[in-house]
Amino acid sequence: MTLDVAEGGCFCGAVRYRVTGPPNALSLCHCRSCRSAAGAPSLAWAIFPESRFELVAGELATFEPSPGVERGFCARCGTSLSYTRANRPGLFDVTTASLDDPEAFAPLEEIWTEERLTWVSPNPALPQFSQFSTPTPVTNECPEDYRATALIRSMRMRASPSVESICSRRGFV
């Protein structure tokens, strides 16, 4: 497997981080908690093993909105950056939009759709989960649902890269 390195950070640049390897999951969350934390109708997450997350500049300020849940953000500009949960040890979620190249981490599923705002349309190309899905390790093969999502994206954007290049960009074969 290709060991990709991606970096990201907050709006003001005070907090920077690095993640390595492919994510375990790429989700678009519609839960009330994520919507409130982001001040947005949904929040996209890239979920990595905690061991593959490295803070390279600054510090994460944290807030515990409920027992066992910790949200990380920049204390200077307020950018929402991370999420961890005690009953899901070893996983570290980063907000997709805080990555330097968020296009490389497009969601592959929608979660907490039972809390989706009525005026937000579901993406019919993505699996829909009424609550959460369980992140599982990504294999070396480009998953069929990712290939399908990449194919749809490439058809919408006439000058976009091929499905194979989209998959290889994420370290899949």
Side-chain angles (χ1 to χ4, degrees):
M1 172 175 287
T2 304
L3 189 62
D4 290 335
V5 176
E7 294 194 355
C10 65
F11 183 65
C12 73
V15 178
R16 296 288 301 162
Y17 65 85
R18 179 177 301 129
V19 289
T20 55
N24 286 31
L26 296 166
S27 302
L28 181 62
C29 186
H30 296 280
C31 79
R32 180 173 172 75
S33 178
C34 283
R35 289 187 287 121
S36 294
S42 60
L43 187 55
W45 294 103
I47 303 169
F48 292 88
E50 189 171 25
S51 62
R52 296 198 333 240
F53 172 85
E54 176 188 4
L55 198 58
V56 294
E59 291 183 28
L60 282 175
T62 58
F63 173 67
E64 190 174 342
S66 57
V69 172
E70 190 172 89
R71 291 185 178 274
F73 60 96
C74 172
R76 182 191 295 167
C77 68
T79 301
S80 179
L81 296 167
S82 68
Y83 175 91
T84 58
R85 205 168 66 208
N87 67 352
R88 208 183 55 167
L91 293 176
F92 197 90
D93 305 14
V94 297
T95 54
T96 302
S98 71
L99 288 156
D100 293 344
D101 183 12
E103 288 289 339
F105 297 88
L108 296 178
E109 64 187 8
E110 291 190 48
I111 60 173
W112 285 97
T113 58
E114 67 184 25
E115 294 185 12
R116 179 176 24 230
L117 296 171
T118 59
W119 49 266
V120 173
S121 299
N123 181 339
L126 299 180
Q128 307 286 309
F129 295 92
S130 62
Q131 292 188 356
F132 57 87
S133 68
T134 303
T136 55
V138 174
T139 65
N140 199 15
E141 289 186 33
C142 191
E144 282 305 311
D145 59 345
Y146 191 83
R147 291 182 65 79
T149 301
L151 179 61
I152 290 166
R153 185 173 296 126
S154 67
M155 288 166 53
R156 284 186 190 147
M157 303 164 65
R158 292 186 178 95
S160 68
S162 70
V163 172
E164 287 71 27
S165 68
I166 292 170
C167 286
S168 67
R169 198 164 91 179
R170 292 300 321 124
F172 298 121
V173 292

